[in-house]
Amino acid sequence: MPGKRINFIVIPQNDGRVREFGLSIRLLWGGGIALCLLSGLFGYYALQFHTRPDPGTDLAGLRGESVLLEARLDSARRDLGRLEAVVGKLARQEGLEDPAVGSVGAGDQAPGVGGRRHPDDRPHYSTARPAEERIENLSQRIQNLQREALYQLTSSQSLIETFEANKENLLYVPTIWPVADVRNVWISSGFGDREDPFTGLKSKHLGIDLAGPRGLPIVATAAGEVAYAYADRFLGKVVVVNHDPLAIGEDGKTTSRPGLLRTEYGHLHKILVRKGQRVARGDTLGTMGSTGRSTGPHLHYAVRYQVRSRGGLNGYRDPQDFLVDWRPSDRPTGSIALHPD
């Protein structure tokens, strides 16, 4: 069956010959579709031509972003360097350097060089070192810093736990000076070898002498129990404190257990405590005087291990080895007039 056709009649204006054309329906549809495709392709390429970015503009934008990223990377490196310095200082102060890590940032440090830096110098990066490598290096330093910080946190927590477990024992360590006012005393004789003030011969001084005004309050340098309060031929009126910690037994009763140290306070003018009395750090034991074998008002203060085989010199130690507070000078800085009762 012949396909359908559409006939077109052409009538010229000048009375020319009339012509008739016939086109099949398929040919017309194919031509329409082809025309639409050509129009679409033309429109697409025209749009791409007008909207395509300028390569020069893109390059300038990328360069600007690169400069900005370089500046941010440089700032991050400086901040990280300062943080590494702080963490490293803390590690050195606390003695907490991780053997597996070593010093913070050590792997990124250059060999030691020197020279004067010109004021116009600016930090720069070599193009031979890719940005990825520098970022990887920065990431590695951050990881090292995180590991060091975690190690210090763990070590600090261990120190805190150790302190908490032993803080009760610290109450029984003589860490303060045995006088109520250190501004009005001075060390008139130190610990160890000295010339005896009465005989002029070389002798061992098993404590320190603190000279000051008569009547100055003398205080306990740590918590404990008064073991002796008596008069001695040489030390005059003496108080001896055993720094025995208190302990609570299974039956709930509080008792004392033998401690590590004892302290002795000699040449007192008055004794204000009694044997067996519990005292706390800072409690008044008596007043400064010049009783016994003495050339003037002063306190003979001594620290001794309760087990006398420790420490040498029959268990005596230099009291200044235990002190953590302000130390009086070797000569007086002032005086007060205290009058004994």
mmCIF file of all heavy atoms in Angstrom, residues 230-238 291-293:
data_model
loop_
_atom_site.group_PDB
_atom_site.id
_atom_site.type_symbol
_atom_site.label_atom_id
_atom_site.label_comp_id
_atom_site.label_asym_id
_atom_site.label_seq_id
_atom_site.Cartn_x
_atom_site.Cartn_y
_atom_site.Cartn_z
ATOM 1 N N TYR A 230 60.213 17.877 130.030
ATOM 2 C CA TYR A 230 60.989 17.774 131.262
ATOM 3 C C TYR A 230 62.122 18.793 131.245
ATOM 4 O O TYR A 230 62.332 19.517 130.263
ATOM 5 C CB TYR A 230 61.563 16.360 131.393
ATOM 6 C CG TYR A 230 62.620 16.035 130.354
ATOM 7 C CD1 TYR A 230 63.982 16.020 130.705
ATOM 8 C CD2 TYR A 230 62.279 15.757 129.028
ATOM 9 C CE1 TYR A 230 64.953 15.726 129.756
ATOM 10 C CE2 TYR A 230 63.239 15.463 128.089
ATOM 11 C CZ TYR A 230 64.582 15.450 128.455
ATOM 12 O OH TYR A 230 65.538 15.166 127.513
ATOM 13 N N ALA A 231 62.889 18.812 132.359
ATOM 14 C CA ALA A 231 64.047 19.695 132.487
ATOM 15 C C ALA A 231 65.319 18.860 132.401
ATOM 16 O O ALA A 231 65.457 17.829 133.066
ATOM 17 C CB ALA A 231 63.998 20.460 133.805
ATOM 18 N N ASP A 232 66.252 19.332 131.557
ATOM 19 C CA ASP A 232 67.519 18.634 131.346
ATOM 20 C C ASP A 232 68.662 19.548 131.782
ATOM 21 O O ASP A 232 68.579 20.778 131.686
ATOM 22 C CB ASP A 232 67.664 18.266 129.864
ATOM 23 C CG ASP A 232 68.962 17.552 129.562
ATOM 24 O OD1 ASP A 232 69.064 16.353 129.835
ATOM 25 O OD2 ASP A 232 69.878 18.228 129.040
ATOM 26 N N ARG A 233 69.760 18.928 132.218
ATOM 27 C CA ARG A 233 70.909 19.706 132.686
ATOM 28 C C ARG A 233 71.493 20.583 131.601
ATOM 29 O O ARG A 233 71.888 21.726 131.850
ATOM 30 C CB ARG A 233 71.970 18.736 133.229
ATOM 31 C CG ARG A 233 73.269 19.415 133.638
ATOM 32 C CD ARG A 233 74.289 18.376 134.066
ATOM 33 N NE ARG A 233 75.590 18.991 134.319
ATOM 34 C CZ ARG A 233 76.697 18.299 134.593
ATOM 35 N NH1 ARG A 233 76.645 16.968 134.622
ATOM 36 N NH2 ARG A 233 77.839 18.924 134.817
ATOM 37 N N PHE A 234 71.560 20.068 130.387
ATOM 38 C CA PHE A 234 72.189 20.815 129.300
ATOM 39 C C PHE A 234 71.167 21.568 128.433
ATOM 40 O O PHE A 234 71.390 22.738 128.102
ATOM 41 C CB PHE A 234 73.005 19.863 128.419
ATOM 42 C CG PHE A 234 74.136 19.205 129.155
ATOM 43 C CD1 PHE A 234 74.027 17.903 129.612
ATOM 44 C CD2 PHE A 234 75.322 19.900 129.386
ATOM 45 C CE1 PHE A 234 75.069 17.297 130.291
ATOM 46 C CE2 PHE A 234 76.374 19.300 130.061
ATOM 47 C CZ PHE A 234 76.247 17.992 130.526
ATOM 48 N N LEU A 235 70.061 20.915 128.058
ATOM 49 C CA LEU A 235 69.073 21.538 127.170
ATOM 50 C C LEU A 235 68.010 22.326 127.922
ATOM 51 O O LEU A 235 67.122 22.909 127.295
ATOM 52 C CB LEU A 235 68.400 20.476 126.301
ATOM 53 C CG LEU A 235 69.275 19.857 125.205
ATOM 54 C CD1 LEU A 235 68.498 18.778 124.462
ATOM 55 C CD2 LEU A 235 69.753 20.925 124.228
ATOM 56 N N GLY A 236 68.105 22.366 129.263
ATOM 57 C CA GLY A 236 67.123 23.117 130.034
ATOM 58 C C GLY A 236 65.747 22.475 129.922
ATOM 59 O O GLY A 236 65.600 21.257 129.927
ATOM 60 N N LYS A 237 64.737 23.310 129.799
ATOM 61 C CA LYS A 237 63.377 22.798 129.659
ATOM 62 C C LYS A 237 63.176 22.330 128.212
ATOM 63 O O LYS A 237 63.355 23.099 127.274
ATOM 64 C CB LYS A 237 62.358 23.864 130.026
ATOM 65 C CG LYS A 237 62.427 24.259 131.509
ATOM 66 C CD LYS A 237 61.391 25.316 131.856
ATOM 67 C CE LYS A 237 61.472 25.669 133.340
ATOM 68 N NZ LYS A 237 60.480 26.717 133.721
ATOM 69 N N VAL A 238 62.788 21.051 128.075
ATOM 70 C CA VAL A 238 62.755 20.406 126.762
ATOM 71 C C VAL A 238 61.368 19.800 126.514
ATOM 72 O O VAL A 238 60.742 19.250 127.423
ATOM 73 C CB VAL A 238 63.812 19.284 126.670
ATOM 74 C CG1 VAL A 238 63.851 18.711 125.252
ATOM 75 C CG2 VAL A 238 65.172 19.799 127.078
ATOM 76 N N THR A 291 67.208 28.513 129.366
ATOM 77 C CA THR A 291 67.439 27.557 130.437
ATOM 78 C C THR A 291 68.512 26.544 130.022
ATOM 79 O O THR A 291 68.775 26.336 128.842
ATOM 80 C CB THR A 291 66.137 26.823 130.784
ATOM 81 O OG1 THR A 291 65.626 26.189 129.606
ATOM 82 C CG2 THR A 291 65.079 27.780 131.304
ATOM 83 N N GLY A 292 69.114 25.904 131.038
ATOM 84 C CA GLY A 292 70.148 24.917 130.771
ATOM 85 C C GLY A 292 71.475 25.568 130.402
ATOM 86 O O GLY A 292 71.797 26.684 130.824
ATOM 87 N N ARG A 293 72.231 24.882 129.599
ATOM 88 C CA ARG A 293 73.570 25.353 129.193
ATOM 89 C C ARG A 293 73.392 26.277 127.979
ATOM 90 O O ARG A 293 73.365 25.841 126.840
ATOM 91 C CB ARG A 293 74.433 24.147 128.858
ATOM 92 C CG ARG A 293 75.907 24.429 128.630
ATOM 93 C CD ARG A 293 76.639 23.092 128.563
ATOM 94 N NE ARG A 293 78.070 23.254 128.319
ATOM 95 C CZ ARG A 293 78.656 23.101 127.139
ATOM 96 N NH1 ARG A 293 77.914 22.803 126.078
ATOM 97 N NH2 ARG A 293 79.955 23.239 127.019
#
